[in-house]
Amino acid sequence: MQTGAGNSAEPREVAAAAIVDAGRLLLAQRVSPPHLAGLWELPGGKIEAGETPADGLARELREELGVETVVGARIGSDVPLAGAMVLRAYVVELKSGTPEALEHAAVRWVDAEQLAGADLVPNDEVWLPELTALLESF
Ligand code: DCM
């Protein structure tokens, strides 16, 4: 049996990064599709066939934010997406670079209180308890 990305029996993974630095979490503002434009998300994207989730997420963050990262542990629960995809979040450490909005409208760092008031994309709202706990652990 095949395993990993490309196996039609497995949902394709979209990986999202909880990047925490100096007690704050990085949010990125989407530009598309229209119903998500302007809302804030954990940056990330689709894992390609043959990539590990860690490698694919690091690649997405390089492309989207211009940073080098170390992808750590899973956080929160899986979120099923349309089109046989699944969204998963990972704790990610910034290794070098300053995040820039290369593919987003903007990026910003938030503390726990600011996170609670942020207009998140609906999928990412399910991770609020874990993200808040993560921020409060720093
Ligand atoms: N997505 C999401 N939350 C994230 C990242 C992505 O809900 N933090 C969703 C939006 C799309 C799908 O995953 O439905 C693919 O993301 P993208 O359009 O960024 O490739």
Side-chain angles (χ1 to χ4, degrees):
M1 192 180 133
Q2 285 182 305
T3 55
N7 177 358
S8 57
E10 295 277 336
R12 180 167 182 191
E13 180 167 339
V14 179
I19 305 175
V20 177
D21 195 52
R24 293 186 302 164
L25 174 73
L26 189 78
L27 296 181
Q29 191 177 32
R30 290 191 66 100
V31 293
S32 66
H35 72 280
L36 297 179
L39 301 180
W40 296 83
E41 69 174 3
L42 300 189
K46 297 186 188 101
I47 305 305
E48 301 294 342
E51 274 183 329
T52 64
D55 287 348
L57 182 53
R59 173 188 52 74
E60 288 284 351
L61 298 173
R62 198 175 296 124
E63 292 170 0
E64 293 184 355
L65 304 172
V67 294
E68 294 301 320
T69 55
V70 179
V71 176
R74 289 274 315 280
I75 184 172
S77 52
D78 284 8
V79 181
L81 299 178
M85 295 194 295
V86 63
L87 178 64
R88 294 194 173 115
Y90 295 82
V91 179
V92 171
E93 189 189 333
L94 205 50
K95 206 164 71 178
S96 65
T98 301
E100 288 178 82
L102 302 175
E103 298 182 359
H104 286 88
V107 294
R108 67 173 166 141
W109 294 99
V110 294
D111 62 20
E113 193 181 327
Q114 292 163 331
L115 176 63
D119 281 331
L120 295 181
V121 299
N123 288 329
D124 295 25
E125 277 177 359
V126 305
W127 300 324
L128 269 173
E130 290 86 358
L131 294 172
T132 303
L134 181 67
L135 280 173
E136 287 172 348
S137 74
F138 277 83

